[in-house]
Amino acid sequence: MSVIIRKSLLELIFSGAFMKRWNDKLRPMELVEVDKQGHKMIVAWLLFLLNSRDMDVARKRALGESIIEGGIFDYLYRLVITDIKPPVFYRIKENADDYRTLTNWVLKELNPRIMPLGKDFMRRMGEYLMHPEDRGLARRILHAAHLYASYSEFKLLKSINRMDHELTEIEQSFIDRLEAMRDLNGVAELLDEDGTVLGGFARMCGRLRFQKRWSQTPRVPETSVLGHMFIVAAYSWFFSMEVGACRARSQNNFFSGLFHDLPELLTRDIISPVKAASHDISELIHEYEILELHRVVLNPLKEGGYTDITERLEYFLGLEVGSEFKATVVLDGIITEAPESDLAGKFNHDTLDPKDGPLLKVSDSIAAYIEAHTALRNGISSGQLHHALYRIQQTYKERPVVAGVQVSALLADFD
């Protein structure tokens, strides 16, 4: 059965933007599930690189695939059990029969939306969710990243919930569980946010939840840059499945989506009309982003001994070829821009480390389209939102198929 990406799956992934976290606590801002997932998967990527340095290429790719799919499976599960508080869920997990009953119900609820992804995907998801006792490296990395991202949220609301009787117990639980995972490379550094480059970078990435997209346009929900990056990463993964991307290409597409707006740590979310005002303005913004990216992020990581992390970030962001939205491969050790058609053909091989820039752009555009479409459907009347929908529709009417994805037909499902 071939993989088909449908509107229902895209909307399911986006629905985490509505899902509030810590909603029984006083919060300085709304904390939502999709932001937490973005932060979690960024940290999981860091731990993935640090814990696979001594692996051969095949084992490393297998681990990367397990981490991405495991993260997506966890997210889909979470979308269904949204109203169960963590302490209650942990009690359910302690009883194998209760957990199996709950998980079977979750899979039944998800089935109509994930069925187009094929029987193999559904089988892998069922096996993963039915065996939470698995303590393989991928699971442990995801668990450590989950704890770190959740603890980061907790620290945001800690100071304004001092009268909450659960506060001390919650914090100690985070500390104890993270301390128990110090044997994973990178966990100790993450826990020392003020004293290590890696910890500082992970904390910095979490700040992208403060940056709202479409900042001058009222929307429901108000997605952040951090949440948007996760949504684009997930879309890139599913579209990679649809077009038959090789393992390296699929992983590069996911992680490129996860980091594609990283420079906005330094410039905020600049809306497309501003960037498109003139070529000179667009170039000026891009140059400033790259300069600041090197100064604030890449150079400190490199000087701290994380050259492998900086090299991968540079590749995901397309710094060698001028844009994250260009197709690239590595030929004889040199990063090279590739024709889009060749990426689906002769360059679709793990050994060439291919990355689908055009597919990433499709995922980014569809995510923006769904943000605007959802806000309008929820009663927000805005000329800017209508214009965004029209602009994206026109772009893909002129070019209905990009990187093997039938974009125009997919957007028509939203009309």
Side-chain angles (χ1 to χ4, degrees):
M1 177 181 175
S2 60
V3 174
I4 303 171
I5 305 304
R6 298 211 168 136
K7 170 189 173 184
S8 59
L9 175 65
L10 300 176
E11 289 187 323
L12 176 65
I13 298 300
F14 182 76
S15 68
F18 290 99
M19 186 176 163
K20 294 178 174 57
R21 293 176 53 78
W22 303 93
N23 58 359
D24 59 342
K25 307 295 180 192
L26 180 62
R27 303 178 297 286
M29 58 178 287
E30 286 296 357
L31 301 172
V32 295
E33 185 65 29
V34 77
D35 293 354
K36 181 272 178 95
Q37 294 294 329
H39 201 194
K40 168 186 170 178
M41 293 310 290
I42 286 171
V43 172
W45 176 76
L46 293 171
L47 295 177
F48 160 52
L49 285 193
L50 296 177
N51 287 276
S52 62
R53 281 173 165 170
D54 297 329
M55 292 183 182
D56 59 53
V57 174
R59 284 181 63 209
K60 187 168 185 173
R61 289 205 180 103
L63 178 61
E65 186 172 77
S66 295
I67 288 170
I68 293 170
E69 278 209 332
I72 289 173
F73 295 155
D74 286 337
Y75 175 58
L76 293 173
Y77 194 96
R78 181 72 183 133
L79 290 177
V80 179
I81 63 162
T82 172
D83 293 326
I84 302 178
K85 283 188 69 172
V88 177
F89 178 62
Y90 296 146
R91 291 290 296 273
I92 291 173
K93 286 181 75 173
E94 290 172 3
N95 185 300
D97 290 337
D98 290 343
Y99 178 77
R100 193 176 301 110
T101 299
L102 177 64
T103 301
N104 277 323
W105 175 76
V106 169
L107 290 170
K108 185 178 178 180
E109 291 291 307
L110 289 171
N111 189 58
R113 298 195 185 191
I114 67 172
M115 190 183 298
L117 295 174
K119 291 181 180 178
D120 282 345
F121 182 87
M122 295 171 67
R123 175 187 54 77
R124 292 195 303 273
M125 182 171 177
E127 289 176 355
Y128 177 90
L129 294 177
M130 282 296 185
H131 296 93
E133 74 283 355
D134 173 35
R135 289 294 177 266
L137 181 56
R139 287 260 195 178
R140 297 195 72 230
I141 285 173
L142 285 168
H143 186 55
H146 154 71
L147 290 173
Y148 175 85
S150 296
Y151 189 31
S152 296
E153 290 177 322
F154 173 83
K155 286 186 279 191
L156 291 176
L157 52 84
K158 175 182 173 182
S159 64
I160 56 175
N161 284 273
R162 296 199 178 278
M163 300 299 290
D164 192 318
H165 69 283
E166 294 182 317
L167 217 63
T168 302
E169 184 180 345
I170 291 171
E171 180 163 34
Q172 194 58 50
S173 174
F174 278 129
I175 293 170
D176 292 344
R177 286 181 291 165
L178 281 166
E179 287 289 341
M181 306 197 80
R182 276 184 177 265
D183 60 301
L184 282 177
N185 294 332
V187 169
E189 290 86 344
L190 289 172
L191 287 171
D192 185 8
E193 292 181 331
D194 295 322
T196 66
V197 173
L198 191 74
F201 174 64
R203 180 174 60 184
M204 191 186 304
C205 289
R207 295 208 318 254
L208 284 167
R209 65 164 44 86
F210 304 149
Q211 292 191 29
K212 298 302 179 185
R213 286 171 52 77
W214 313 71
S215 58
Q216 298 177 20
T217 305
R219 287 180 305 118
V220 176
E222 285 191 328
T223 46
S224 74
V225 172
L226 183 59
H228 169 76
M229 294 197 307
F230 174 76
I231 290 168
V232 172
Y235 289 176
S236 296
W237 181 255
F238 290 128
F239 285 131
S240 296
M241 291 175 60
E242 185 177 51
V243 302
C246 66
R247 180 177 269 177
R249 184 175 157 207
S250 297
Q251 290 180 36
N252 287 339
N253 291 345
F254 178 87
F255 291 125
S256 294
L258 194 62
F259 288 104
H260 77 283
D261 278 339
L262 183 65
E264 292 182 11
L265 271 171
L266 314 161
T267 61
R268 300 185 185 173
D269 180 43
I270 301 172
I271 60 175
S272 296
V274 173
K275 292 179 180 177
S278 79
H279 179 73
D280 289 343
I281 289 176
S282 179
E283 284 294 308
L284 179 65
I285 291 170
H286 183 67
E287 287 175 13
Y288 179 77
E289 283 180 341
I290 301 309
L291 281 171
E292 286 297 282
L293 187 67
H294 280 285
R295 185 180 71 85
V296 179
V297 176
L298 299 177
N299 290 344
L301 281 170
K302 196 174 294 184
E303 291 163 7
Y306 300 105
T307 305
D308 51 347
I309 290 176
T310 60
E311 288 176 350
R312 292 315 289 170
L313 285 174
E314 287 170 356
Y315 187 59
F316 296 151
L317 294 169
L319 299 192
E320 288 279 345
V321 295
S323 172
E324 70 272 33
F325 297 132
K326 291 182 179 179
T328 53
V329 291
V330 179
L331 296 174
D332 299 323
I334 299 172
I335 297 170
T336 306
E337 185 177 350
E340 181 185 314
S341 57
D342 286 346
L343 217 60
K346 66 179 182 180
F347 289 155
N348 190 29
H349 295 286
D350 288 345
T351 53
L352 300 176
D353 201 23
K355 180 174 74 73
D356 260 307
L359 186 143
L360 175 62
K361 181 61 177 176
V362 165
S363 300
D364 188 38
S365 296
I366 290 177
Y369 189 92
I370 292 176
E371 286 174 335
H373 184 272
T374 304
L376 288 167
R377 191 180 62 195
N378 286 329
I380 305 295
S381 180
S382 165
Q384 192 175 46
L385 295 175
H386 281 291
H387 178 70
L389 292 188
Y390 175 78
R391 178 171 48 81
I392 295 171
Q393 286 170 339
Q394 290 304 115
T395 297
Y396 293 107
K397 278 181 182 176
E398 294 170 8
R399 197 176 172 212
V401 180
V402 179
V405 178
Q406 297 188 23
V407 192
S408 186
L410 193 52
L411 293 179
D413 290 341
F414 290 86
D415 291 345

